[in-house]
């Protein structure tokens, strides 16, 4: 295996290359999990706000009659 360092390819140990790939895959997996949790949290907040808005609209319609 070779590693690009600047404009030069340097020979790299196979174990080190596999370790780097494993670390990158773990990082990517952790980031996708973190972002999925964030999206779910935001969706929940959106649902709560939507319910609040609907209730306020109903109250306003009741006052307008």
């Amino acid at each position: 295996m070779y590693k690009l360092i600047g404009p030069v390819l340097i020979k790299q140990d196979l174990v080190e290359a596999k370790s780097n790939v494993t670390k990158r895959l773990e990082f990517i997996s952790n980031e996708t999990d973190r972002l999925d949790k964030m999206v779910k949290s935001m969706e929940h907040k959106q649902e709560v706000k939507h319910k609040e808005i609907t209730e306020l609209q109903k109250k306003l319609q009741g006052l307008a009659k």
Side-chain angles (χ1 to χ4, degrees):
M1 307 267 21
Y2 292 92
K3 182 177 184 179
L4 184 64
I5 298 179
V8 180
L9 285 174
I10 304 293
K11 187 123 173 110
Q12 186 179 26
D13 186 35
L14 182 61
V15 174
E16 184 181 346
K18 286 184 178 182
S19 174
N20 286 340
V21 170
T22 303
K23 286 179 186 177
R24 287 180 185 181
L25 289 173
E26 184 179 317
F27 174 77
I28 290 169
S29 175
N30 290 339
E31 282 298 300
T32 55
D33 290 344
R34 184 182 68 83
L35 292 173
D36 286 343
K37 288 177 185 175
M38 186 186 310
V39 166
K40 286 180 183 178
S41 171
M42 297 300 270
E43 286 174 344
H44 176 70
K45 288 178 183 178
Q46 180 183 8
E47 289 177 20
V48 169
K49 292 298 179 185
H50 182 28
K51 288 178 183 177
E52 289 177 8
I53 289 171
T54 304
E55 290 174 10
L56 288 172
Q57 286 176 336
K58 286 180 183 177
K59 286 181 182 178
L60 283 173
Q61 287 174 354
L63 291 175
K65 290 181 180 181

